[in-house]
Amino acid sequence: MDKYKNLYRWMIIPMLFMQFGIFRDYWGDFSDNAWAVHVHYWTGTVWYLYLIIQPYYATHGQMAKHRTNGIIGMFVAGGVCITAFSMMHRDIATTEKALTAPAQFGPFQPWFFFGVAAVEIVMIIAFGVAVIQSIIRRRQLEDHAWWLVSTVFLIMMPALGRGVQNVHVAMQISAWPNIRIMPSLYISEGIILGMLLLGAWKFGKLRHPATWLAVAVNVFNLFLEPLGKSETVQEFLKTVIKG
């Protein structure tokens, strides 16, 4: 585990990127956010904090704290999954609002929110798989640690994507509503994949299944537009996700 002695410092970087991405959307209208948004934001933030403090405890002679916090952390991980799923009807509801008030949403047409819902389902399931794998491999410490590290990159896109998108839209605001919204997604995914592969290279995990899973999910996210425009996908989401 010596190679992970400074891992906690590296985990601060994605935490900062996530907070940058979500800062305006969450804190900008804090009092107007639904209760589900607050719960999801704080469970996600606590999970990221756990992925900073847990490697520190494990590599600095505090294994008792690491084990105790690990049990609590699994509860937090479950909260991340459940709250993320519980918020998905917001995406479907927003498609209806975008359809009835297109001038208000401008370039954000219904297909965009359908696409967001489609990729979020895959991200949440992959997050759950990675957490379960970390539990199964809890005695293989390096595997256990890297499966947990991968969860950061599995669920970063919504938060970081919003931040990059806000900046990108602001730069093109004079062209509203004729703004291209997908480039911000591609930039966000480039940042996420760059951090993931850099970390995997540094810690010798480029060929680890957790790395492959995180790469696959983020590549899948690049297909948000065709997924969102697919009538089959739209009907599936409207049938499955009910308010």
Side-chain angles (χ1 to χ4, degrees):
M1 288 292 286
D2 283 346
K3 71 165 68 173
Y4 287 146
K5 204 166 186 68
N6 293 318
L7 176 60
Y8 74 97
R9 295 178 181 172
W10 283 83
M11 297 309 293
I12 295 172
I13 297 173
M15 172 72 168
L16 293 176
F17 270 91
M18 187 274 281
Q19 291 294 336
F20 154 76
I22 202 65
F23 186 87
R24 181 181 174 187
D25 272 9
Y26 182 69
W27 295 103
D29 57 354
F30 180 85
S31 61
D32 294 328
N33 285 324
W35 174 246
V37 174
H38 292 298
V39 175
H40 183 60
Y41 171 83
W42 286 107
T43 53
T45 297
V46 170
W47 179 251
Y48 271 60
L49 289 172
Y50 261 74
L51 294 180
I52 295 171
I53 64 173
Q54 282 295 82
Y56 178 84
Y57 286 149
T59 57
H60 289 74
Q62 300 185 55
M63 284 302 295
K65 286 185 178 179
H66 177 83
R67 293 190 183 100
T68 300
N69 277 285
I71 296 170
I72 299 170
M74 294 304 103
F75 172 80
V76 175
V80 173
C81 281
I82 293 170
T83 57
F85 273 126
S86 72
M87 289 177 58
M88 292 196 65
H89 184 259
R90 286 163 51 89
D91 295 325
I92 306 304
T94 305
T95 66
E96 297 169 1
K97 294 177 182 177
L99 189 62
T100 57
Q104 178 184 348
F105 286 86
F108 296 96
Q109 299 174 32
W111 65 261
F112 176 78
F113 302 103
F114 279 120
V116 169
V119 300
E120 281 182 344
I121 289 174
V122 174
M123 284 188 286
I124 298 166
I125 292 173
F127 175 89
V129 168
V131 171
I132 291 169
Q133 286 296 324
S134 78
I135 296 171
I136 294 171
R137 288 167 169 74
R138 62 190 179 278
R139 298 190 185 282
Q140 291 81 49
L141 296 182
E142 286 202 17
D143 275 351
H144 167 75
W146 196 251
W147 276 108
L148 289 173
V149 169
S150 73
T151 63
V152 169
F153 304 104
L154 289 169
I155 60 170
M156 187 186 294
M157 194 279 282
L160 181 60
R162 288 179 185 178
V164 173
Q165 194 169 69
N166 286 337
V167 173
H168 190 233
V169 169
M171 292 172 62
Q172 305 176 82
I173 197 63
S174 60
W176 183 277
N178 300 312
I179 294 176
R180 297 175 62 205
I181 56 175
M182 289 306 295
S184 56
L185 170 71
Y186 304 142
I187 293 169
S188 301
E189 286 298 348
I191 294 171
I192 295 169
L193 286 167
M195 286 192 290
L196 167 63
L197 294 175
L198 178 62
W201 171 78
K202 175 174 174 55
F203 293 103
K205 299 299 181 185
L206 282 171
R207 297 184 179 181
H208 195 280
T211 304
W212 298 344
L213 177 63
V215 169
V217 168
N218 282 283
V219 169
F220 177 78
N221 292 345
L222 296 174
F223 294 92
L224 184 151
E225 183 172 0
L227 285 167
K229 290 181 176 179
S230 166
E231 292 184 5
T232 301
V233 172
Q234 292 181 9
E235 287 303 314
F236 171 78
L237 292 172
K238 287 189 289 186
T239 300
V240 171
I241 303 174
K242 301 290 186 180

